[in-house]
Amino acid sequence: MQIVKKRATLKTQVYDYLKESIIMGGLKPGERLIEEKISEELQVSRSPIREAIRMLEKDGLLLVNSSGGVTVVEPSIQDFQHLYECRVEMEPLAAFYAAERRTQEQIELIRINLLQIGKILETNDIKKVHDANVNFHETIISASANPFLVSMISHLRGVNSFYRKSIIEENPLHIEHAMHDHQQIFQAIVHQEPEKARQLMKAHIESDYIQFMKLSSKSRED
Amino acid sequence: MQIVKKRATLKTQVYDYLKESIIMGGLKPGERLIEEKISEELQVSRSPIREAIRMLEKDGLLLVNSSGGVTVVEPSIQDFQHLYECRVEMEPLAAFYAAERRTQEQIELIRINLLQIGKILETNDIKKVHDANVNFHETIISASANPFLVSMISHLRGVNSFYRKSIIEENPLHIEHAMHDHQQIFQAIVHQEPEKARQLMKAHIESDYIQFMKLSSKSRED
DNA sequence: TAGAGATAAATTGTATACAGTCGACGAAAT
DNA sequence: ATTTCGTCGACTGTATACAATTTATCTCTA
């Protein structure tokens, strides 16, 4: 383990900053990024900025149009459908391997996470509940101990976060329901029941998807 | 559809060149890339090279070590195992959606591809057989009409190609077997039987995996 | 007024210069 | 001989300058 943190390079910092901005909504879908503007804003030359942009492009968060300009992606309903078609297979797969390979520490991490969610629920702090939920999923994914799976799912979840800010997670009923799912998935992982973990996770993601489709069709009626 | 090809920028050309070199083996696993060297070799400044490197890094083909230098990834047997754990779920998923969504043109593409393989087989040109096989898979993946699936699988297949150059595909029995699988998968897609296509593809990839594991364990004994 | 060119402004693409960092090599000290 | 510092060379990181393109603006014409 490295004790002294490696000095972060500018390109890394710019990358993190832009990614955060996109996911948190500071940069809106469809918005164009101007290298010079970012350069002024962050007091950094264009070189590291351009490298960060190339990375975000590969992450699927930025889109280059034919004439070189880059814009924040604008996921369509169709995109979300495609996203879920992937998530609904891959996260259960991660749960499967997590059940096989999880370490004792990882079990503890999840246990603590679940306890936290319980407490946070009482405070009604939606943002924190959401973060804790994301944390639950990420811990399981990383417990799958498959780097490809980890990277692909985090890619999906990155794009996914465009809608995560929306109302879905604020639906109290949905949260209760999710909590219950999480508990069950946790048990399957603790007891090393891969197939069960997979199926529970699949049902969980599917219910998330249905929830999303309901809300998005409702918002289109408005 | 854009008729006139967008003038390729240098960063794109460098990216393509390096990617090709890595996949084709001109750049060997573990080999370090020196920006200045590439710059001289291609007569291009370091700026576009650096951008290309950032992209290849995200593709999982290059690895940055802690002190900044980049090297070509050296996939371990474990990596291939992880790779297959993903492929064995995702390519069948692609076959599933391909069976649902394939267009008439795509069916024709696959049909032609299968005919070609038949002819090429007689000539014993291993390289061409291999290319045609890759083509078969790629057509199906793109027929799934899910951009996330397409991008993730092509990512996997990119890394996968490190071993594709090996003997596996040169095993004549394996080729015959693969041909048979391909025919069946094609039929399922033509008749729009998603679940059947999925299962056939799964069996197909699994047999590929078993083949690979056999060969790799054999080569370790040598 | 709409449209076609012609300019100018904005923005990206590429090259180059220079600063900072890491590692190898070697000399001095023990 | 081994260790410890320097020092030098090789690279990478970042800034800046300039070229090439694209986009906006303006003017002229029909």
Side-chain angles (χ1 to χ4, degrees):
Chain A
M1 178 72 101
Q2 199 160 348
I3 305 294
V4 184
K5 228 179 277 181
K6 189 186 66 177
R7 193 184 66 84
T9 61
L10 286 185
K11 70 165 180 289
T12 308
Q13 294 181 61
V14 172
Y15 171 79
D16 289 341
Y17 169 79
L18 290 177
K19 188 167 183 175
E20 178 83 3
S21 298
I22 294 169
I23 289 178
M24 287 311 177
L27 290 168
K28 304 242 181 301
E31 185 171 345
R32 180 167 177 188
L33 272 69
I34 308 294
E35 294 171 9
E36 191 65 35
K37 294 271 168 58
I38 302 168
S39 166
E40 266 174 47
E41 187 183 338
L42 304 183
Q43 290 297 309
V44 159
S45 83
R46 280 174 53 217
S47 311
I49 293 174
R50 285 180 65 83
E51 295 184 38
I53 287 176
R54 294 292 88 79
M55 294 193 282
L56 290 162
E57 189 187 322
K58 280 284 175 187
D59 282 347
L61 292 178
L62 293 181
L63 195 69
V64 293
N65 63 45
S66 50
S67 60
V70 299
T71 56
V72 179
V73 290
E74 300 181 83
S76 63
I77 296 287
Q78 261 240 328
D79 288 329
F80 284 121
Q81 187 193 326
H82 289 146
L83 201 81
Y84 268 104
E85 286 173 4
C86 293
R87 275 192 70 198
V88 92
E89 289 291 317
M90 302 194 57
E91 289 212 36
L93 188 64
F96 179 94
Y97 288 114
E100 270 189 14
R101 302 170 181 165
R102 82 287 182 291
T103 64
Q104 202 55 47
E105 289 99 301
Q106 284 163 334
I107 290 183
E108 283 315 310
L109 273 178
I110 301 175
R111 191 196 309 282
I112 291 168
N113 175 271
L114 289 178
L115 287 176
Q116 281 182 334
I117 296 186
K119 275 190 199 138
I120 296 169
L121 265 181
E122 294 167 14
T123 71
N124 259 352
D125 184 335
I126 299 296
K127 169 92 171 76
K128 277 192 184 160
V129 174
H130 173 244
D131 287 350
N133 274 338
V134 168
N135 194 256
F136 173 82
H137 282 270
E138 278 175 356
T139 308
I140 288 177
I141 291 159
S142 88
S144 75
N146 180 326
F148 294 98
L149 210 42
V150 171
S151 112
M152 289 193 299
I153 296 177
S154 70
H155 182 187
L156 291 177
R157 295 183 69 85
V159 178
N160 203 28
S161 61
F162 275 105
Y163 95 89
R164 287 252 155 213
K165 286 183 277 61
S166 77
I167 355 154
I168 293 173
E169 295 286 316
E170 301 180 19
N171 181 336
L173 238 114
H174 187 240
I175 292 175
E176 295 284 339
H177 196 254
M179 260 304 276
H180 178 250
D181 286 359
H182 284 190
Q183 287 288 358
Q184 285 198 298
I185 293 167
F186 175 59
Q187 289 306 323
I189 288 176
V190 168
H191 298 124
Q192 295 201 294
E193 302 172 305
E195 203 45 63
K196 191 169 178 189
R198 184 210 294 263
Q199 268 155 32
L200 287 169
M201 181 64 91
K202 183 156 185 168
H204 179 55
I205 306 278
E206 270 166 356
S207 97
D208 204 32
Y209 182 41
I210 290 166
Q211 194 73 14
F212 166 71
M213 289 309 276
K214 255 191 226 157
L215 279 167
S216 70
S217 69
K218 194 193 286 179
S219 74
R220 266 178 300 176
E221 283 166 18
D222 295 346
Chain B
M1 176 79 96
Q2 198 159 347
I3 306 294
V4 184
K5 228 178 277 183
K6 186 184 67 175
R7 191 185 71 84
T9 61
L10 286 185
K11 70 165 179 288
T12 309
Q13 294 181 60
V14 172
Y15 171 80
D16 289 342
Y17 169 79
L18 290 177
K19 187 167 183 176
E20 179 83 1
S21 298
I22 293 168
I23 289 178
M24 286 312 176
L27 291 168
K28 306 243 179 299
E31 186 171 345
R32 179 165 176 190
L33 273 69
I34 308 294
E35 294 170 8
E36 191 67 34
K37 293 274 167 57
I38 301 169
S39 167
E40 266 175 47
E41 187 184 337
L42 304 183
Q43 291 296 309
V44 159
S45 83
R46 280 174 54 215
S47 311
I49 293 175
R50 286 180 64 83
E51 295 184 39
I53 287 177
R54 295 291 88 79
M55 294 194 280
L56 290 162
E57 192 186 321
K58 280 284 175 189
D59 282 347
L61 293 177
L62 293 181
L63 195 70
V64 292
N65 64 46
S66 50
S67 61
V70 298
T71 56
V72 179
V73 290
E74 301 180 83
S76 63
I77 295 286
Q78 261 240 328
D79 287 329
F80 284 121
Q81 187 193 327
H82 291 145
L83 202 82
Y84 268 105
E85 286 173 6
C86 293
R87 275 192 68 198
V88 93
E89 289 292 317
M90 301 193 56
E91 287 210 36
L93 188 64
F96 180 95
Y97 288 114
E100 270 188 18
R101 300 168 183 167
R102 83 288 184 287
T103 65
Q104 203 54 45
E105 289 98 302
Q106 285 164 333
I107 289 183
E108 283 315 310
L109 274 178
I110 302 176
R111 193 195 307 282
I112 291 168
N113 174 272
L114 289 177
L115 288 175
Q116 280 181 334
I117 297 186
K119 276 190 198 140
I120 296 169
L121 264 182
E122 294 167 15
T123 70
N124 260 355
D125 184 336
I126 299 296
K127 169 91 171 73
K128 277 192 182 158
V129 174
H130 173 245
D131 288 350
N133 275 339
V134 169
N135 194 256
F136 173 82
H137 283 270
E138 279 175 355
T139 308
I140 288 178
I141 291 159
S142 89
S144 76
N146 180 326
F148 295 98
L149 211 42
V150 171
S151 112
M152 290 194 296
I153 296 178
S154 69
H155 182 188
L156 291 178
R157 295 184 69 85
V159 179
N160 203 26
S161 62
F162 275 106
Y163 96 90
R164 287 255 155 212
K165 286 183 276 63
S166 77
I167 355 154
I168 293 173
E169 295 285 318
E170 301 180 18
N171 180 334
L173 239 115
H174 186 240
I175 292 175
E176 293 286 338
H177 196 254
M179 259 305 276
H180 178 250
D181 285 0
H182 285 189
Q183 286 288 359
Q184 285 198 298
I185 293 167
F186 175 59
Q187 289 306 324
I189 288 176
V190 168
H191 298 124
Q192 295 199 297
E193 302 171 305
E195 203 46 62
K196 191 170 178 189
R198 184 210 295 261
Q199 268 153 31
L200 286 168
M201 182 62 92
K202 184 156 186 170
H204 179 56
I205 306 277
E206 271 166 355
S207 98
D208 204 33
Y209 182 42
I210 290 167
Q211 193 74 13
F212 166 72
M213 289 309 275
K214 259 191 225 157
L215 279 167
S216 70
S217 68
K218 195 193 287 177
S219 73
R220 266 178 299 175
E221 285 166 19
D222 297 346

